[in-house]
Amino acid sequence: MRILESERRPHSPVEALSAKMGALYEDKGQQQVGEQELATKMLQIQSKRFYIDVKQNRRGRFMKVAEIGADGRRNQVFLALSTAAEFRDHLSLFSDFYANLGPPNPDTLPEDGKLKSETMVKDNRRYYLDLKENSRGRFLRVSCVSQTIARGGPRCQIAIPAQGMIEFRDALQELLDEFGTDDGGYKGELPEGRHMRVENKNFYFDIGQNNRGIYMRISEVKTNFRTAITIPEKSWSRFRDIFADYVDKMKDGGEKGPSESNK
């Protein structure tokens, strides 16, 4: 694996397609409103190209890791800087484990193909790290699942060929050396949750924070029933204005007498 120089010209159709998709990826990243790209690394591992971007928005800093295959297909995961540091440490352990593995042996391969697994948890996201083996070789699959999404919901994932784990770790380390492991964002103490009961329903208002920023989760709880919505902090004022508008309109309507309302 090697870090590619931006001026290197692709010499094959596969490389040309990968380069084209990479350019599209970069253009798309630059179009994100309010998002600033601080640094980028491009890595070529076998037939795959990886982009590791450090980005910043009003909620803090994070990494976006995108995998672009030879067919142009793209997968990606997002990591808070603190999670990226934890991932870096896991990559060292996975690399040591991989180095001590013998040649592939189909007779001793686990049924699910997993050779070693670990889990990382950051706020409402859970990351599954699985070193796996199949007919094409050994690779590290990194999957991210949001715990606020119903079971069986979509997950983001990338697959890093096992031979490239050390170089991938070193690229992460270089970026973390430059930008640190502080996720940034809100530093104060978040407000405590609140609760109210209306007839047979309970409503819970909880304030949380993840690598995408601060949010409010409003949960409606009844017997054998629970549902919730999540509102990003940047939308609170707009929600407040809409609620206040409805309150005023209902108050105005309720104050009218029967004769006035029938006019």
Side-chain angles (χ1 to χ4, degrees):
M1 180 185 107
R2 61 192 179 283
I3 297 178
L4 299 180
E5 300 295 333
S6 58
E7 61 269 19
R8 178 180 180 270
R9 294 178 178 273
H11 298 298
S12 71
V14 168
E15 286 185 322
L17 177 58
S18 181
K20 182 178 179 181
M21 291 305 298
L24 290 173
Y25 164 74
E26 288 177 323
D27 290 342
K28 183 176 180 181
Q30 292 170 355
Q31 293 172 1
Q32 296 296 324
V33 177
E35 189 173 274
Q36 179 185 5
E37 186 173 289
L38 304 179
T40 272
K41 281 191 176 294
M42 294 183 291
L43 309 175
Q44 184 79 38
I45 308 177
Q46 296 181 355
S47 62
K48 295 181 178 181
R49 178 174 291 196
F50 291 87
Y51 291 81
I52 307 176
D53 300 335
V54 179
K55 292 179 174 286
Q56 176 175 283
N57 56 28
R58 62 183 295 273
R59 297 180 291 272
R61 292 178 174 178
F62 60 95
M63 284 191 188
K64 178 193 287 186
V65 181
E67 166 203 340
I68 300 178
D71 59 356
R73 188 173 304 173
R74 191 183 86 173
N75 298 297
Q76 63 186 24
V77 295
F78 294 86
L79 303 165
L81 293 187
S82 57
T83 308
E86 185 180 353
F87 181 40
R88 170 205 59 199
D89 296 340
H90 280 300
L91 281 171
S92 294
L93 298 175
F94 274 99
S95 297
D96 291 342
F97 179 84
Y98 169 70
N100 292 317
L101 288 175
N105 185 349
D107 296 331
T108 60
L109 186 66
E111 197 169 316
D112 59 2
K114 294 181 181 178
L115 304 173
K116 176 179 172 61
S117 295
E118 295 290 347
T119 303
M120 303 187 301
V121 177
K122 174 67 175 178
D123 298 320
N124 65 334
R125 293 186 177 190
R126 184 177 295 269
Y127 297 84
Y128 298 94
L129 313 179
D130 299 306
L131 182 62
K132 304 186 71 174
E133 180 180 323
N134 59 23
S135 59
R136 291 174 291 179
R138 292 167 174 166
F139 58 94
L140 179 66
R141 172 159 293 159
V142 183
S143 304
C144 175
V145 179
S146 172
Q147 299 181 74
T148 61
I149 297 178
R151 188 178 182 87
R155 65 169 58 191
C156 303
Q157 63 182 25
I158 61 172
I160 305 170
Q163 298 94 323
M165 289 190 294
I166 287 289
E167 289 82 0
F168 202 99
R169 179 205 63 189
D170 292 345
L172 284 179
Q173 182 62 59
E174 290 178 14
L175 292 170
L176 291 170
D177 285 344
E178 182 175 356
F179 296 99
T181 60
D182 186 357
D183 300 331
Y186 185 75
K187 299 298 182 184
E189 184 176 348
L190 295 176
E192 293 184 1
R194 301 183 67 175
H195 162 258
M196 64 178 289
R197 182 176 179 84
V198 180
E199 298 177 347
N200 67 332
K201 297 180 180 181
N202 288 289
F203 292 91
Y204 296 90
F205 300 80
D206 299 298
I207 309 300
Q209 182 176 17
N210 56 29
N211 66 310
R212 291 187 291 179
I214 298 172
Y215 59 89
M216 178 188 297
R217 180 174 291 117
I218 304 176
S219 304
E220 175 191 347
V221 181
K222 295 193 297 184
T223 304
N224 299 323
F225 175 81
R226 180 186 182 96
T227 187
I229 62 171
T230 300
I231 307 171
E233 184 265 341
K234 65 181 180 182
S235 303
W236 291 359
S237 296
R238 180 61 178 152
F239 267 78
R240 177 200 60 200
D241 293 343
I242 292 174
F243 272 109
D245 184 51
Y246 279 119
V247 169
D248 291 342
K249 287 181 177 178
M250 296 302 293
K251 185 186 301 183
D252 293 342
E255 290 176 348
K256 293 180 180 179
S259 59
E260 183 180 353
S261 62
N262 291 329
K263 290 181 180 179

